[in-house]
């Protein structure tokens, strides 16, 4: 009940605690309380995908989940994909090479969806890549650079994004 | 913010950086979630604003009740027009008419409407609270009594006799009436073999940058000064407005566009009430105040564009030579807006064709719809649509091929500079600087295997299938002045720092500016940092819009870089006891040519040049003090890029669905600084154009209510809808700036609606369908087929 | 766009959930996947005093084979689970065919079957699918359980037979009849969007290859899923044929009375029903071949 609750969850492998108003969404918790601002808010009605994060390994909309619903869950955000900008993972590096980023507002959510999809199927073909991306809006790139980035990743044989950080024993 | 590249950047075969496809230095931070957008700024003590917006499109505001909202715990302020009297000045008139002797009228707008609201979504009060959610709770408690007035929700309604007036003081709803003429159009029409006439409608749409507008303001009491972080395309223009409203000198208003802005696309180049309100509230509360536009607000209050109705006529001879053009159109300017877009439309219509006689007539009309701004393309896509649809019609009327008709009328490659005879929106005559349209079209057709595609189409048609081929070619006025500037300096670390005014929203200026600066100064790309969008870092700037930055800031960087190089060499010459002419910059050092071990690090040059050898010493005579240089570049006129698109698609006549089979883009934006980035701009532009052609549409009912206020009702294309775009470049350098660049930010968008509309009409030609309105969603196409 | 204030409850047992609903019924909203409710909260289009989050009711999240080769699907089973399930693919191919068209993967990971049915969007796929399948919905309240056939569950746009204190708990599907093919056809402006119109169909042949039965349910063309009974009847007893499917399409089209909205005219939707019915029947027949192969 009540308007605020204490919650505990794992974010990018780190245990985190917070006191949140029950109406706070997960994306606002991540951004405002944990200051993980790489996850963005573009529409707050589930369509744009900028807020996409992984919860227990599955891509979900951070704007359509209450923070209290993340109690006890493993949350992964774009900040968890690489230790710092100098050490990009293979997918991120292909995004640079193929100019898959322009303003970068949509990018965090897109990388998270692709990460989940590549764990499911490390060798997607173009239509499957486009299906995954279809849950996102990007107004800058026309998506072609992103599609090419994933195709290049697949062609390179580089290992797909590692297993879900939280699932390691 | 700087992100030096991890690896040495690629160079062109000539050894320079300009022209090399260098991956962007912006990317790494954005890909790791370390970008800094306005809503990401660390701002201790920040309070959150939310806006109370009018539900009515036209209404007198009688009374605003704020007591209940103020009583809510956590609410810090609720303000209405009466509270902010000190900044309630009429906003200055926007752009004058670029065409001598034409009519432009400005209605007086204020930050908060003192008497009546003019569009649904207009701000009537602002609330500040400890959180955004609380501020929204308080908005719900503000009560506003309205006297609802009759609404004009379209130009047609606004022009009808007895229509309600958006601005009573103007006497009617006409914002501008601009007529431009070339040759003797009436005579040409009377004498022509053939004439054709059609009416086209283009609907309103938004920019829908993925990040909305947003602003954070802080007031410093000691200095009586504001610092404003604003996700704007034009920080210097925002500073000018704030300084005007608050009656402050420019230097006490610092506007900073954060390093990362989540797309701009036009609307973020305008000034909005929220920017003034947030500043006012920060001063009143002595706390930083933040307002972030949410998507719903973007739908009802950010700038929109595109709604025009054109009645166009062409006259042509039996052999398919254009003789005259008459285009009379209305432009919905909303309750407020600039004339930029419609004036550009008028100038875009003639396109790449020789047209000796033109009558162009524009009526911009105030309506009770949200304000207008430019939206990627800024009036151009409409102009291209109008002309290219008529070229298709001419081909049909004469039984000629659509590409052939175009080829017959293109301005020849040797006709540049080519005066069209109209005035462009920069106030200069519309004169094309350079181009090679026949070659561009020829290559586009070749890439698309045009002849083969026509044969396939014939085969499919024989089987009862509906394949269409659309061709569109256009000329795009870009690189508009008046100016952009750059300051280059060698800093203490021996790095070159480039400062320029226009902020990027995804265009990668940190990369392209560094490429230009590195070549201009002769240093490594890795040794250049770029600062943009801070009005305190460079006194003057114009902004990022109209595909203008590379063509304005680029030459400024080039010029300042040359001066800086001379200063560096002069100081180094002193240190090395050599003549400047004998020196070269290699890596991070200046060396004497041919004597690799006689060198001095750039940092040491900076130490002498900027700080003197040590404090208290006298600088050696004759040396330049301060290793910095600034330059402002003002182009004599706009440059003119060109593109040719070929779209091949199939229409399912049963469902009205369109499937794009191939999409070919040929593009000429003069010299290219970074092909990777230019291609990215074009791909994004094509997506926007396809969205206008097939998907997005703003719907307003007669009460001026936006009926498509979510992305579920206002579809933007996803990766599923986008075809793979095949692209090539042609390069005709611009003679109007030393880099030979034009502009590429909007190019992809322009011809798409025309090419798609042409292809759909072509596909359905056996059914005699006429395409005169966009977007072509399944229901509209099917209804066209069924004559509904 | 932040949700209004509400009290939040996350019961862990069904009894607790039903008690909360009984206590707060009128002022409460059930929160399942949140993919429809959360946008409404964010837009403040819904302002419930109490949100009853049923996501901890693990018992409602199971998908199991039912008696007589049918299926029992807990209301909380995620759409993504249905999409990935081999049991679904084997026992109820129509659901598998529908899933990729319901929103996007990122929506389906949270969205539930029960939520989609309880929300009852006129353009949603799953309500039509349930009507086509003859699903039986179990609804529970503190007053006790009851069963509602899918066909009478959908009352009006966004309105179901659920009482304010009731929770949809389970969906029971009969066994997939032998020699039955199925298809779901729709047109949406973008893939993953709600449909401008769509048709869910099943086609059952008898041992001689004649049509033994058909179910044709249209969506997006009325406040609730619309069964095309005339079209279904027209097929029974005949050999499946292109002309028969076309005639059925015409009957289905004649049987709907859609509204216009900003995206499509009523006439378009009516035509679409005809086209999609014909296609769905042809695809059903084709899928039957694939299943047999
Ligand atoms: C971007 C986007 C695209 C979408 N596209 C589609 C689409 O193409 N087709 C489609 O069909 N849907 C679509 N949806 C909606 C989606 O399928 C939702 O998941 C679904 O409609 C609701 O399911 P939910 O579990 O999320 O329910 P919730 O959002 O949690 O609840 C929806 C409503 O049902 C009530 N409710 C939920 N569960 C129960 C229960 N067990 N008992 C009683 N009442 C209950 C809630 O109180 C609420 O009123 C889309 C959603 C989004 C955000
Ligand atoms: S912000 Fe969550 S989907 Fe757009
Ligand atoms: S890069 Fe700008 S929205 Fe995708």
């Amino acid at each position: 009940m009540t308007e605020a609750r204490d919650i505990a969850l794992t974010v990018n492998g780190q245990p985190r605690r917070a006191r949140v108003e029950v109406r706070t969404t997960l994306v606002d918790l991540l951004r405002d309380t944990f200051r993980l601002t790489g996850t963005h808010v573009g529409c707050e009605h589930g369509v744009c995908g900028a807020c996409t994060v992984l919860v227990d390994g599955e891509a979900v909309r951070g704007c359509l989940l209450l923070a209290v619903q993340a109690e006890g869950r493993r949350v992964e955000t774009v900040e968890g994909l690489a230790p710092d900008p100098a050490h990009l993972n293979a997918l991120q590096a292909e995004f640079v090479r193929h100019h898959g980023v322009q303003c970068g507002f949509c990018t965090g959510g897109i990388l998270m969806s692709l990460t989940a999809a590549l764990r499911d199927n490390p060798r997607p073909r173009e239509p499957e890549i486009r299906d995954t991306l279809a849950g996102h809006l990007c107004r800058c790139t026309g998506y072609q650079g992103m599609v090419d980035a994933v195709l290049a990743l697949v062609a390179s044989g580089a290992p797909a994004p590692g297993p879900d950080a939280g699932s390691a024993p | 913010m700087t992100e030096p590249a991890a690896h040495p950047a690629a160079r062109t075969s000539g050894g320079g950086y300009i022209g090399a496809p260098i991956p962007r230095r912006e990317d790494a931070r954005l890909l790791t979630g370390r970008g800094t957008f306005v809503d990401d700024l660390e701002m201790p003590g920040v309070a959150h604003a939310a806006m109370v917006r009018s539900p009515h499109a036209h209404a007198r505001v009688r009374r605003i009740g704020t007591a209940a909202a103020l009583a809510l715990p956590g609410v810090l302020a609720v303000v209405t027009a009466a509270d902010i009297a000190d900044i309630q000045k009429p906003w200055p008139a926007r752009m004058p008419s670029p065409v001598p002797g034409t009519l432009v009228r400005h209605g007086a707008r204020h930050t908060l409407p003192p008497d009546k609201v003019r569009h649904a979504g207009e701000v009537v009060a602002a609330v500040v609270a400890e959180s955004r959610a609380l501020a929204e709770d308080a908005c719900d408690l503000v009560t506003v009594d309205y006297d609802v007035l009759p609404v004009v929700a379209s130009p047609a309604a606004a022009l009808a006799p007895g229509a309600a007036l958006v601005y009573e003081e103007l006497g009617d709803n006409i914002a501008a009436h601009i007529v431009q003429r070339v040759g003797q159009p009436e005579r040409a029409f009377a004498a022509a073999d053939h004439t054709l006439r059609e009416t086209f409608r283009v609907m309103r749409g938004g920019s829908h940058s993925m990040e909305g507008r947003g602003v954070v303001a802080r007031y410093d009491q000691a200095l009586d000064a504001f610092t404003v972080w604003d996700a704007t395309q034009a920080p210097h223009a925002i500073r000018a407005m704030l300084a005007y409203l608050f009656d402050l000198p420019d230097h006490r208003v610092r506007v900073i566009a954060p390093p990362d802005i989540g797309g701009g696309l036009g609307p973020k180049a305008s000034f909005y009430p929220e920017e003034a309100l947030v500043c006012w509230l920060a001063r009143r509360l002595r706390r930083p105040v933040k307002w972030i536009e949410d998507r719903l607000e973007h739908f009802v209050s950010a700038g929109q564009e595109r709604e025009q109705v054109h009645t166009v006529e062409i006259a042509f001879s039996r052999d398919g030579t254009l003789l005259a053009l008459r285009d009379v159109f209305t432009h919905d300017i909303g309750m407020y807006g600039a004339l930029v877009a419609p004036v550009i439309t008028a100038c875009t219509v003639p396109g790449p064709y020789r047209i000796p006689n033109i009558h162009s007539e524009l009526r911009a009309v105030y309506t009770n719809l949200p304000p207008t701004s430019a939206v990627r393309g800024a009036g151009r896509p409409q102009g291209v649509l109008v002309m290219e649809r008529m070229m298709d019609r001419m081909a049909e009327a004469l039984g000629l091929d659509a590409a052939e008709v175009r080829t017959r009328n293109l301005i020849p490659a040797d006709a540049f500079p080519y005066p069209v005879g109209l005035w462009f929106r920069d106030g200069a005559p519309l004169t094309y600087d350079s181009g090679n349209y026949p070659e561009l079209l020829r290559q586009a057709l070749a890439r698309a295997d045009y002849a083969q595609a026509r044969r396939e189409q014939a085969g499919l048609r024989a089987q009862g299938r509906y394949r269409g081929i659309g061709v569109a070619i256009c000329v795009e006025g870009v690189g508009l002045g008046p100016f952009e500037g750059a300051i280059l300096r060698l800093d203490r670390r021996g790095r070159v720092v480039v400062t320029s005014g226009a902020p990027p929203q995804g265009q990668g200026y940190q990369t392209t500016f560094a490429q230009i600066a590195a070549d201009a100064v002769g240093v490594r790309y890795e040794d250049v940092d770029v600062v943009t969008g801070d009005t305190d870092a460079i006194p003057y700037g114009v902004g990022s819009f109209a595909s203008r930055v590379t063509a304005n800031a680029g030459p400024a960087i080039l010029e300042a870089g040359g001066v800086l190089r001379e200063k560096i060499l002069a100081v180094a010459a002193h240190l090395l006891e050599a003549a400047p002419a004998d020196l070269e910059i290699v890596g991070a050092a200046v060396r004497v040519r041919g004597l690799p071990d006689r060198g001095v690090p750039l940092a040491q040059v900076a130490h002498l040049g900027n700080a003197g050898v040590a404090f208290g010493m006298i600088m050696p005579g004759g040396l330049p003090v301060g290793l910095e240089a600034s330059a402002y570049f003002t182009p004599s006129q706009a440059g003119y890029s060109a593109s040719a698109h070929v779209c091949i698609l199939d229409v399912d006549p049963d469902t009205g669905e369109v499937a794009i089979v191939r999409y070919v883009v040929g593009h000429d934006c003069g010299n290219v600084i970074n092909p990777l980035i230019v291609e990215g701009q074009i791909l994004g532009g094509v997506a926007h154009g396809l969205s206008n052609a097939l998907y997005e549409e703003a719907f307003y009912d007669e009460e001026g209510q936006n009926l498509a206020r979510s992305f579920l009702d206002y579809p933007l294309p996803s990766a599923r809808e986008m075809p793979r775009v095949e692209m090539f470049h042609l390069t005709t350098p611009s003679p109007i700036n030393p880099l030979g660049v034009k502009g590429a930010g909007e190019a992809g968008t322009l011809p798409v609606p025309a090419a798609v509309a042409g292809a759909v009409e072509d596909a359905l030609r056996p059914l005699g369908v006429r395409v005169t309105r966009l977007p072509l969603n399944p229901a509209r196409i099917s209804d066209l087929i069924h004559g509904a | 766009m932040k949700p209004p204030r509400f009290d939040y409850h996350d019961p862990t047992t069904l009894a607790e959930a039903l008690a909360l609903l009984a206590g707060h019924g009128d002022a409460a909203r059930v929160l399942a996947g949140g993919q429809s409710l959360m946008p409404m909260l964010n837009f403040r289009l819904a302002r419930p005093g109490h949100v009853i989050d049923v996501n901890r009711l693990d018992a409602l999240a199971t998908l199991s084979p039912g008696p007589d080769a049918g299926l029992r699907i807990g209301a909380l089973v995620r759409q993504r689970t249905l999409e990935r399930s081999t049991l679904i693919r084997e026992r109820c191919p129509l659901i598998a065919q529908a899933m990729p068209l319901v929103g996007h993967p990122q929506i389906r990971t949270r969205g539930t079957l029960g939520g989609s049915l309880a929300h009852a969007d006129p353009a949603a796929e799953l309500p039509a699918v349930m009507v086509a399948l003859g699903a039986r919905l179990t609804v529970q309240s503190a007053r006790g359980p009851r069963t509602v056939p899918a066909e009478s569950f959908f009352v009006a746009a966004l309105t179901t037979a659920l009482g304010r204190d009731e929770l949809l708990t389970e969906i029971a599907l009969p066994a997939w009849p032998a020699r039955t093919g199925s298809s779901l056809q729709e047109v949406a402006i973008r893939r993953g969007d709600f449909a401008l119109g769509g048709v869910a169909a099943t086609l059952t042949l008898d041992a001689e290859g004649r049509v033994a039965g058909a179910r044709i349910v249209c969506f997006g063309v009325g406040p609730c899923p619309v069964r095309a009974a005339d079209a279904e009847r027209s097929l029974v007893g005949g050999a499946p044929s292109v002309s028969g499917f076309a005639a059925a399409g015409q009957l289905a089209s004649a049987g709907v009375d859609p509204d216009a909205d900003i995206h499509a005219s009523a006439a378009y939707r009516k035509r679409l029903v005809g086209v999609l019915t014909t296609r769905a029947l042809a695809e059903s027949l084709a899928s039957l071949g694939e299943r047999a192969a």
Side-chain angles (χ1 to χ4, degrees), chain A residues 43 45-48 61 63-64 69 135, chain B residues 711-712, chain C residues 21 28-40 46 52 54-55 60 74-79 98-104 106-108 110-121 123-127 138-140 153 158 160 162-164 166-171 186 188 190-195 219:
Chain A
C43 74
H45 56 279
V47 185
C48 79
R61 300 297 200 227
C63 70
L64 301 186
Q69 294 183 295
Chain B
F711 284 143
L712 291 176
Chain C
L21 271 172
R29 283 300 271 270
V30 171
L31 175 63
Q35 304 302 290
S36 295
L37 182 56
M38 285 297 299
M40 291 195 296
I52 302 174
V54 294
N55 284 284
L60 301 193
L76 266 187
V77 170
R78 309 276 171 204
Q79 294 157 3
M99 280 339 297
L101 301 171
V102 180
H104 309 287
Q106 301 87 345
I107 303 299
R108 299 194 291 269
R110 287 297 299 175
T112 65
L113 173 58
S116 177
L117 304 183
H119 187 60
D121 190 295
E125 292 83 0
L126 292 171
T138 304
V139 167
Q140 301 206 39
F153 185 75
L158 305 177
T160 67
L162 279 170
R164 282 301 211 170
E166 285 182 317
L167 189 69
L168 171 60
T169 53
E170 189 179 88
I171 295 91
E186 70 173 40
R190 303 182 327 144
R191 185 172 157 134
D193 282 354
F194 283 100
F219 57 97

Side-chain angles (χ1 to χ4, degrees), chain B residues 581-675:
Chain B
D582 294 335
L583 301 182
E584 59 181 357
I585 301 177
V586 180
V590 185
R591 294 202 307 223
V592 181
R593 223 180 288 272
L595 297 171
D597 23 303
R598 264 190 69 201
V600 49
L602 282 168
Q604 198 179 327
V605 177
H607 194 59
L608 175 62
N610 293 340
V613 177
F615 294 112
M617 302 265 305
I618 294 165
M619 282 291 278
L623 283 190
V625 181
L627 293 176
E628 59 115 37
S630 75
Y632 286 84
F633 181 75
T634 64
S636 53
Q637 63 155 78
Y640 293 87
S641 295
S643 5
H645 289 198
V646 181
C647 173
I648 306 178
L649 54 74
D650 289 333
V651 177
D652 179 336
D654 296 326
T655 61
E657 291 171 294
V658 165
I660 294 178
V661 179
R662 281 189 76 184
Y663 203 99
V664 172
V665 171
H667 184 244
D668 181 356
C669 62
N671 290 336
V672 168
I673 306 295
N674 184 329

Side-chain angles (χ1 to χ4, degrees), chain B residues 136 294 652 655 782-783, chain C residues 1-2 190 265 268 271 279:
Chain B
E136 292 185 16
D294 63 36
D652 179 336
T655 61
S782 174
D783 286 349
Chain C
M1 259 163 66
K2 305 295 173 194
R190 303 182 327 144
S265 62
Y268 173 73
R271 287 194 302 272
R279 285 186 186 176

Side-chain angles (χ1 to χ4, degrees), chain B residues 354-373:
Chain B
R354 274 171 311 193
I355 311 178
N357 303 287
I358 299 175
H359 175 97
S360 165
E361 183 166 353
L362 146 69
R363 233 180 236 97
V365 182
Y366 286 117
T367 60
N368 290 121
L369 297 183
T372 54
S373 67

Side-chain angles (χ1 to χ4, degrees), chain A residues 100-107 110 137-141 146, chain B residues 209-211 261-263 505-506:
Chain A
V101 194
Q102 286 186 28
C103 78
F105 198 77
C106 65
T107 310
I110 285 178
L137 296 178
C138 171
R139 195 60 148 168
C140 299
T141 63
M146 303 181 196
Chain B
S209 52
M210 284 298 113
E211 176 199 44
I261 297 181
Q505 303 86 38

Side-chain angles (χ1 to χ4, degrees), chain B residues 24 33 45 52 73-74 110 150 220 273 279 292 363 388 410 417 451 509-510 571 617 632 651 671 740:
Chain B
R24 303 192 325 161
V52 179
H110 295 78
D220 186 322
C279 290
I292 300 296
R363 233 180 236 97
E388 291 298 273
L410 290 175
Y509 299 163
Q510 291 187 350
V571 172
M617 302 265 305
Y632 286 84
V651 177
N671 290 336

Side-chain angles (χ1 to χ4, degrees), chain B residues 372-386:
Chain B
T372 54
S373 67
V375 170
R376 195 174 200 158
R380 299 176 185 88
Q382 300 96 310
V384 179
L385 179 84
V386 163

